[in-house]
Amino acid sequence: MTAVDEPQSYSGTRKGEPDKTIEEVWAQPTGLRWWSSVSHRVVGKRFIYTGFAFFIIAGFLALLVRTQLIVPGNTFLDNETYNQVFTMHGTLMMFLFAIPILEGFAVYLIPMMLGARDLIFPRLGQFGYYCYLFGGIIVLSSFLFDAAPDGGWFMYVPLTTNAFTPGVSADFWLIGITFAEIASVTAAVELIVAILCARAPGMSLTKMPIFAWYILITAFMIAIGFPPLIIGSILLEANRLLGLPFFDPTVGGDPLLWQHLFWLFGHPEVYIIFLPAAGMVATILPTFVGKPLFGYGFVVAAVISMGFISFGLWAHHMFTTGLPILSLSLFSAASTMVAVPTGVQIFAFIATLAQGRPRMTTPMLFVMGFLFIFVLGGLTGVMLASVPFNWQAHDSYFVVAHLHYVLIGGMVFPLFAAFYYWAPHITGRMMSERLGKWVFWLMFIGFNATFFLMHVTGLRGMPRRIATYPEGIGWDRLNLLSTLGSYILAAGVALFIFDFIRHLRHGERAGRDPWRAGTMEWLYPTVAIGFNFHAIPPVETREPLWNNPNMLGKNAEDVEGVMRKMHDGRRETIGCDPVSGSPVQIVRLPHPTFTPMFTAFALAVAFAATIASAYFVAIAGIVAGLLGFTIWAWEPSDSGVTRDAGMGYVLPVNMIEKRSHMHIATVGTMLVLYALLGSLIFALLYLWNVYPNFAAQTAQPNLLWTGLSMLAGLVLLILAMINRRVAVADKIGLATVMNLAVILASIACTACLALAIQRTDPWGTALGATMWATLGFVALNLFITLYWALFNAARKVTGRVGAGQSLPDFNLATYAKGTAVMVLITGGLFLAATLGGLS
Amino acid sequence: MTALGRQVWGLTIPAVAWAAHFIAIYALISAACAPRGLIDIPLMFGLGIVATVLFGIAALWPTIRPPKGAALTGAIRVGGLIFAVAILFDVLPLIFSSGCGG
């Protein structure tokens, strides 16, 4: 195929590589440039392999814990080391294994399942991966400095404040994990946009593979659920570095505020981990039953319900903290209620099983293991939702047993099913069925031996996190058996690793669609080309490979579809309407680049330097990161032309309207930012409501400057609206003027807000500190608005933007509007404090 | 708006209604039971019932009258029911408790 089909001349838009074929344009870089790859296949695999490496490390730490507890009075680990080991076990498993590896699978699979040639923001994927890798390295490197965190994976205050945890161990956790969380949030925004904006022609929301629904809801949950922890971590780090008293009860702070912020993240986190894994089950199960998933619509409804209701459960981790009984009852009710959508999914899986005679392959065994173990974990979850029982079982090994039944049953078993199921897709070879069954039974028996007994250990009163215990109080034999069980479980994992390495050379060749699956990732032969589709086929059903015989009936590259011609020698895929799936644009995709990696590295230097108190280096890292983002975005625009996409579609390239993938990404980013702001407002209202005496001691904001800040916010809002209209009208000169106006309004907003609370002492009361933190967050957004407007103006002044290329201004308008509303909300809160008083 | 678009709204509205109701109930309990004591128990109860009726109707509406189009009707009905029951669950503590309970 020739690469170029009469490329038109138009200003600013790159011509790509006109002499290359489509295979060459999409070829993966080799040698050192392999690190510059932005392909979702490469990035997805990196997430999976890195996540698995963290799993092995965290699993090894778990074995140390179990070995310490094998007999009473053991001195294998001293108390301090034991605290470090169980803290790092939980931290690595929750933050650096579970979510990243599931996101890795989503990054790898979603484009192929939906009919896209790549993820919609490939550079963002690469950036997210390196943030994750560097963040993980920062956290792990704490061992090298003998400063591994030891405050538990939940980092409760006041234990983790300077008074009780001097040194930098807590800083390693707070900074490293926050950095790694950037990867999760960026991947979430990318997955939301990819699922909504880059599907095959005709793939409406109701025709999406069920896995895409699970990932879509999970991504929204990450976007809303991670911000409370990010804010909490920043507040705690500010407490440690600057002495700001957010959690100090002597000046109106509250350790429970940390718990609220942590569990506002921490409980949805459990469902963020469970849902993608359940999505894997819902994908694998129909393949081996040979029938579609039973009750697709019911499952979609259940997943949406679970996504929402899981945000109403956070305080059930705080039943023993002295909250009002009425609050406990509310959270108890919500915690019980979440069992309903969970049950709907489980019954849908069982009904799918009942539709046919399943093939009991290794992936299916792990799916059955999931059903058995997760249901038990769910039932003990309902028990723990009951306040009186929770009071008895709290912080005992019963809870340890429950959470491992939920997380290992609900996530690790489906994950191993996924390893066996999709390994042929990744490596081109089948893993051993015989060894796979051994792996399953070792893991299943080992898991139950380890954790089932812990229910009993907990009911006999053994508390969590103790480094040792006296003999003769009924815990000895149970702990011994649990430890032996953990070794069996580890043997299963070790055998899996052996099988995986073995199959890379000696596994049977997989061929095309080896499991007879119905979803589109199996359209091409395994270990395919560097991209996904020569032509993107129209999709009319949820199992296109089952229902469209043309797909597997001919060579994959010959399947009919859109985008067969490559016009400008550029990587591109089809963009769709978010609801109907109708093609609406051609999306241009970037080629391999090191820029995101260097940007992530610069930020990693900034974060690491902060831990080392090398603040000039930290500032240099931030400046270098900003420069990286600038270089990243300083590229010719692709908008402004239309191209023939085939099959009767003539489509704009990177269209300028609300359904554009970049605009939806801007809205998605605003969702994350509002969740961050919401967390700060929660903190403000919480401290104001719980400590009225200290609120009364906080200086009120200045009425005049507060009013002026709201006026400036209103001006910014109006300017943003005008900016949108100017962008749509494509008036380049006027748009430059509007950019400058936005810059001035942003400066005015920041100055007025700061002057409004200039008399408020951030060290005087926790409420005052939180007011300044809120101001800092809004000011950061105003700075981004300012920088973006400056950037857009500079591009126009230097002639980088031509006619029909106003997409950056269109998106800036949305961001500026969102920021202006933040100013109005913050100004409104300050105004209420001024008029109503803080007392 | 297309039929499918209306159906997506039919899926979303009960979820948003539940979220708004949960926040309302949590806020009312916090307003009545925290040291500041912004409102008293009868007012908390009254506002809670009003919020439950309003948001309960919003959650159930797509179940009673699902938007036209067959593709997501089952999901809309099930989702609306789950969220309506969840709204009922969340208000039960207000109904069965006589006060903040310590």
Side-chain angles (χ1 to χ4, degrees), chain A residues 12-29:
Chain A
T13 307
R14 279 172 294 176
K15 306 298 186 295
E17 300 164 292
D19 299 327
K20 290 187 175 178
T21 63
I22 191 169
E23 286 85 0
E24 289 168 337
V25 165
W26 282 90
Q28 296 308 315

Side-chain angles (χ1 to χ4, degrees), chain A residues 11 54 66 77 108 113 117 125 149 166 215 252 340 342 381 399 480 498 565 717 795 797 811 826:
Chain A
S11 65
F54 282 117
R66 285 311 323 165
L77 299 176
Y108 183 85
M113 284 184 168
R117 283 186 176 146
I215 295 299
V340 174
T342 313
V399 177
L480 172 68
F498 168 77
K565 282 186 180 175
L717 184 65
R795 279 169 58 83
V797 169
N811 293 331
T826 309

Side-chain angles (χ1 to χ4, degrees), chain A residues 5 48 170 210 266 279 303 382 384 390 428 550 719:
Chain A
D5 178 50
I48 293 169
I210 193 69
V303 174
V382 176
L384 285 166
N390 190 296
N550 285 330
L719 287 173

Side-chain angles (χ1 to χ4, degrees), chain B residues 1-94:
Chain B
M1 188 186 287
T2 63
L4 190 56
R6 280 193 293 275
Q7 291 222 321
V8 171
W9 276 112
L11 270 178
T12 312
I13 287 170
V16 174
W18 173 83
H21 180 261
F22 180 84
I23 292 169
I25 299 296
Y26 179 67
L28 286 170
I29 293 174
S30 300
C33 299
R36 185 171 285 276
L38 276 175
I39 58 175
D40 56 21
I41 298 295
L43 183 58
M44 174 190 72
F45 177 80
L47 291 175
I49 296 299
V50 170
T52 302
V53 172
L54 289 178
F55 291 120
I57 290 170
L60 272 176
W61 189 253
T63 301
I64 297 164
R65 300 194 63 178
K68 287 178 182 170
L72 281 170
T73 303
I76 291 169
R77 288 215 159 103
V78 173
L81 275 176
I82 291 174
F83 282 115
V85 174
I87 284 173
L88 188 65
F89 262 54
D90 289 345
V91 81
L92 287 180
L94 263 61

Side-chain angles (χ1 to χ4, degrees), chain A residues 78 80-81 84 140-150 166-169 172:
Chain A
D78 59 52
E80 188 183 331
T81 308
Q84 290 178 330
L140 265 188
S141 67
S142 61
F143 276 120
L144 297 178
F145 300 99
D146 194 22
D150 57 0
V168 292
S169 64
F172 268 109

Side-chain angles (χ1 to χ4, degrees), chain A residues 340-502:
Chain A
V340 174
T342 313
V344 170
Q345 291 170 73
I346 297 296
F347 281 116
F349 297 156
I350 293 170
T352 306
L353 272 173
Q355 289 184 106
R357 188 181 176 84
R359 287 179 279 149
M360 275 299 165
T361 58
T362 302
M364 267 303 285
L365 279 178
F366 277 101
V367 167
M368 302 302 278
F370 150 80
L371 284 170
F372 180 84
I373 295 169
F374 180 75
V375 167
L376 287 178
L379 291 174
T380 52
V382 176
M383 293 166 71
L384 285 166
S386 162
V387 177
F389 181 82
N390 190 296
W391 281 346
Q392 300 304 313
H394 182 79
D395 260 353
S396 76
Y397 261 85
F398 187 90
V399 177
V400 179
H402 158 70
L403 75 92
H404 284 90
Y405 263 76
V406 171
L407 291 174
I408 295 184
M411 184 265 176
V412 175
F413 272 73
L415 185 71
F416 273 75
F419 284 146
Y420 277 96
Y421 184 72
W422 279 296
H425 197 285
I426 295 172
T427 65
R429 292 176 185 271
M430 306 295 288
M431 292 182 71
S432 164
E433 275 294 303
R434 193 164 61 89
L435 287 177
K437 288 184 168 61
W438 272 97
V439 171
F440 169 76
W441 284 111
L442 282 170
M443 288 182 66
F444 185 79
I445 293 168
F447 168 81
N448 283 294
T450 307
F451 294 103
F452 188 81
L453 297 176
M454 283 186 194
H455 292 105
V456 184
T457 320
L459 291 176
R460 287 190 178 183
M462 181 166 172
R464 304 169 69 173
R465 305 181 200 110
I466 54 168
T468 189
Y469 52 91
E471 65 178 328
I473 54 174
W475 303 345
D476 312 13
R477 194 167 301 165
L478 291 167
N479 272 298
L480 172 68
L481 291 172
S482 280
T483 300
L484 295 178
S486 72
Y487 296 158
I488 296 171
L489 177 57
V493 176
L495 186 60
F496 166 79
I497 295 170
F498 168 77
D499 188 21
F500 187 82
I501 295 170
R502 185 205 60 80

